[in-house]
Amino acid sequence: PHVTLKDVEDIMIGLHSQNIAAGNTDGSSLMTATPPSVYDTVEAAVKYQSYVERQHKDMESWRKAQGIRIPPDLDYEHSNFPTFSKEELE
């Protein structure tokens, strides 16, 4: 839960360096560190992804409801809308 992009990147670079030292790769594909300015952006995108997806679903639901009309003969009574307050029913 508290793993940062820098933590993951440091591990990957360490493993890559170990592979080069062990002769498992020729070293031609060197891994370099990401600039620190990128960390916050990537971490925020990952952290808030579920919220953004929920907002997209909410907006889609809202768009679909735009064409729905409230029937003019609807009785605004407490028995039909038990969760509404008196003010809402008026």
Side-chain angles (χ1 to χ4, degrees):
H2 299 291
V3 177
T4 65
L5 176 61
K6 175 135 178 53
D7 296 335
V8 172
E9 192 172 71
D10 289 344
I11 291 168
M12 291 177 65
I13 290 173
L15 289 173
H16 187 70
S17 297
Q18 287 176 2
N19 283 335
I20 291 173
N24 295 335
T25 183
D26 61 4
S28 62
S29 60
L30 293 176
M31 290 187 70
T32 58
T34 302
S37 60
V38 175
Y39 294 144
D40 290 337
T41 302
V42 171
E43 289 176 13
V46 170
K47 192 179 294 183
Y48 294 107
Q49 180 180 358
S50 63
Y51 297 106
V52 172
E53 288 172 359
R54 186 171 64 195
Q55 282 288 303
H56 285 293
K57 289 178 185 176
D58 289 347
M59 288 303 298
E60 185 59 32
S61 175
W62 179 79
R63 281 188 202 102
K64 289 179 182 177
Q66 287 300 300
I68 297 174
R69 298 278 183 203
I70 298 173
D73 59 343
L74 184 63
D75 291 325
Y76 290 94
E77 297 177 1
H78 187 67
S79 60
N80 293 335
F81 302 99
T83 60
F84 283 16
S85 67
K86 287 181 181 181
E87 291 82 11
E88 290 172 315
L89 292 172
E90 291 176 2

